[in-house]
Amino acid sequence: MSKGLYYKTKDEIELLRESSLLVGKALAEVAKVIKPGVTTLSLDKVAFEFIKDNQAVPAFLNYNGFPNSLCISVNDAVVHGLPGKYELRDGDVVSVDCGVVKNGFFGDSAYTFAIGEVKAEVLHLLEITKQSLYKGIEMSVVGKRIGDIAFAVQEWAEANGYGVVRELVGHGIGRNLHEDPEVPNYGKRGTGLKLQEGLVIAIEPMINMGKKGVKHESDGWTIVTADGLPSAHFEHTVAIGKEKADILSSFEYIEEALRKKN
Ligand code: MG
Ligand code: MG
């Protein structure tokens, strides 16, 4: 499904930043309203309206026939969950994945929300998953390789006793939602594509509280953990940098919205 390897110009990276920040703002709109009792479909609607109001198009809507703007994956759902009638409950953890296309360029980012009072051990899974994303981002500099990112994510997750999903991976992003290279969350240091300026990738650890295995749900979309234990997912769109990675998406809007609620 990936569509080739493209290095971006500085101007193109600014357009990717605009799209990626819009995703962060759309997720912040979700953050404002997410709470026990709301349906996942109502969250999808919030994002759809916000993206449209900002002269952009939801990237996931109709992608390979996907029927919604957000992927919303609750508890043991890892990714690609379908918004629907399910009402969020106290103690749920919810991965919300959002993509947009604006000016011909895509942005892609995901955040896992804790609903109400969540068990400490599950909050720890969320924290470590987010940290593993930033471990991968630290490796997203010129001269490192895809395997260095993959290894950094895997090492941190597994050091904490968690399972790293193998079947789904991060990806290049640009004028297409999914471009080369694949960016796995497991791998060997010093292997894979050498990172250069102009490369933009989505890094997205999917980390399971229990074992790494996943399976498909009968809805044809949702991926769930095989052992039924919770999973977490955080994603940033990132441009490879000379000294330091340039994170094009942002969790700041989301986390500001969450702070204001509390
Ligand atoms: Mg995504
Ligand atoms: Mg992605």
Side-chain angles (χ1 to χ4, degrees):
M1 252 184 285
S2 284
K3 290 189 180 170
L5 181 63
Y6 303 99
Y7 293 91
K8 282 79 184 179
T9 65
K10 288 203 160 63
D11 288 346
E12 288 172 333
I13 287 173
E14 290 317 307
L15 291 171
L16 281 161
R17 190 189 311 280
E18 189 181 338
S19 299
S20 301
L21 288 178
L22 183 58
V23 173
K25 289 173 185 171
L27 289 171
E29 293 302 305
V30 171
K32 287 176 191 171
V33 297
I34 196 167
K35 63 176 183 185
V38 304
T39 66
T40 53
L41 192 61
S42 72
L43 301 177
D44 185 72
K45 211 170 168 204
V46 165
F48 175 79
E49 296 295 340
F50 181 81
I51 292 165
K52 280 197 21 180
D53 289 347
N54 283 276
Q55 295 76 50
V57 175
F60 303 163
L61 186 61
N62 302 319
Y63 184 84
N64 293 331
F66 191 79
N68 295 95
S69 300
L70 298 177
C71 294
I72 303 183
S73 308
V74 183
N75 296 334
D76 64 325
V78 180
V79 286
H80 302 169
L82 289 170
K85 287 180 192 160
Y86 178 78
E87 290 180 4
L88 295 177
R89 293 179 197 157
D90 198 57
D92 283 346
V93 287
V94 188
S95 154
V96 181
D97 193 349
C98 182
V100 307
V101 55
K102 185 171 182 176
N103 304 313
F105 286 88
F106 285 80
D108 188 6
S109 181
Y111 196 90
T112 300
F113 296 91
I115 308 302
E117 293 292 314
V118 172
K119 281 187 203 157
E121 56 175 16
V122 182
L123 289 177
H124 187 253
L125 170 70
L126 268 50
E127 195 52 41
I128 296 299
T129 304
K130 199 206 288 185
Q131 288 174 8
S132 75
L133 167 59
Y134 287 102
K135 298 273 181 195
I137 290 171
E138 278 174 31
M139 293 293 136
S140 301
V141 290
V142 172
K144 295 283 186 191
R145 291 178 182 271
I146 290 294
D148 295 314
I149 298 173
F151 178 83
V153 172
Q154 179 182 14
E155 187 186 41
W156 188 238
E158 289 183 351
N160 283 276
Y162 297 138
V164 177
V165 174
R166 302 294 202 269
E167 287 82 351
L168 300 134
V169 295
H171 50 91
I173 181 167
R175 289 185 185 276
N176 307 286
L177 178 59
H178 296 129
E179 298 181 354
D180 289 331
E182 288 194 342
V183 184
N185 298 304
Y186 64 97
K188 287 202 175 89
R189 271 189 283 211
T191 64
L193 181 74
K194 206 168 194 180
L195 306 178
Q196 297 178 36
E197 274 189 288
L199 185 66
V200 179
I201 54 176
I203 306 176
E204 49 180 317
M206 289 153 260
I207 307 297
N208 296 346
M209 186 144 191
K211 296 205 164 60
K212 65 181 187 289
V214 296
K215 58 181 187 181
H216 272 90
E217 280 277 77
S218 57
D219 64 15
W221 287 104
T222 315
I223 309 286
V224 296
T225 59
D227 61 15
L229 293 174
S231 185
H233 177 216
F234 288 86
E235 177 179 26
H236 270 315
T237 294
V238 175
I240 301 305
K242 250 192 200 139
E243 313 280 323
K244 193 170 171 285
D246 184 1
I247 305 175
L248 303 181
S249 50
S250 174
F251 294 155
E252 280 171 31
Y253 306 108
I254 301 167
E255 289 174 350
E256 192 190 336
L258 294 175
R259 278 194 299 274
K260 279 185 182 159
K261 274 167 82 180
N262 293 328

